[in-house]
Amino acid sequence: MADVFCADCNRNTEVVLDHAAGDTVCSECGLVLEAYSIDETSEWRTFANESGDNDPVRVGGPANPLLTDGGLSTVISKPNGTTSDFLTSSLGRWQNRGSNPDRSLILAFKAIATMSERLGLVATIKDRANEIFKKVEDQKSSRGRNQDAILAACLYIACRQEDKPRTVKEICSVTNGATKKEIGRAKEYIMKQLELEMGQSVEIGTIHAGDFMRRFCSNLGMSNQTVKAAQESVKKAEEFDIRRSPISIAAAVIYIVTQLSDDKKPLKDVSQATGVAEGTIRNSFKDLYPHLTKIVPLWYAQEDDLRNLCSP
């Protein structure tokens, strides 16, 4: 019910929306104020049986160009235990026995989707990882290799190519048992396969320490002011020739700025949040210490505070 001006009543009256006919009718005089209107709300239809299922889905999944049939083939659902579903159960078993050339791809795409969801990655990264795996699978050269490591490496490369890098340790935490060494070997293997297919070198982007700052700071629950200081500091740190990995530099900068704040974080917590070993953070701190006055912004800490900063 809504108030709309009626020409016959010469005032605003309540109207009734007839969704079946698409008419807007005045509730007092019965005048059709608008006919054949378009209903832009969700048109849910249920194909559930009479067992009480509440299934609002009215269409199938989106087309997947990476699959032979586009992912639009019919799948017979599993029975829910009623006697009338005996035929459905039999048809489902016969369908599963049939050969499906995309069976391995479907399982791989599901595994990549699960890992992406656990890491909170956007759909573009997941789709890029699917494309990379499809290219490797088409070459039929990955048989006998660790499939979990291959999938994890595809996701790692996709994150790098989409400028949303994740550490190997983060990727390893969501895999089904693949180790860092196995993922590293799988990554090198995939890069070679992609280069052979494309006939040229494949770029996966350069990692910068600033790419990890916001996520690491969020894991530690740092304040906005401290996060801003860490981001400015790590940007300045990249101007110096510090021969440490970007992840180690990011962890060391986070430790430094937290020690200069009221909410100091112990080295153990920084190590757990960043995935960098405590000894590595200490060594990175020693490399950064001579440049602290040029790295840490003056609005955040004075030179006396930086000189009194103790090594972890």
Side-chain angles (χ1 to χ4, degrees), residues 22 24 39 56 62 86 124 162 175 199 238 255 260 263 297 305:
T24 302
D39 186 5
F86 174 76
T124 53
E162 293 294 328
T175 60
E238 293 179 350
Y255 176 79
L260 296 170
D263 186 17
D305 299 329

Side-chain angles (χ1 to χ4, degrees), residues 32-45:
V32 177
L33 302 178
E34 185 179 357
Y36 303 109
S37 59
I38 298 176
D39 186 5
E40 297 180 353
T41 59
S42 299
E43 183 191 354
W44 288 118
R45 291 178 56 197

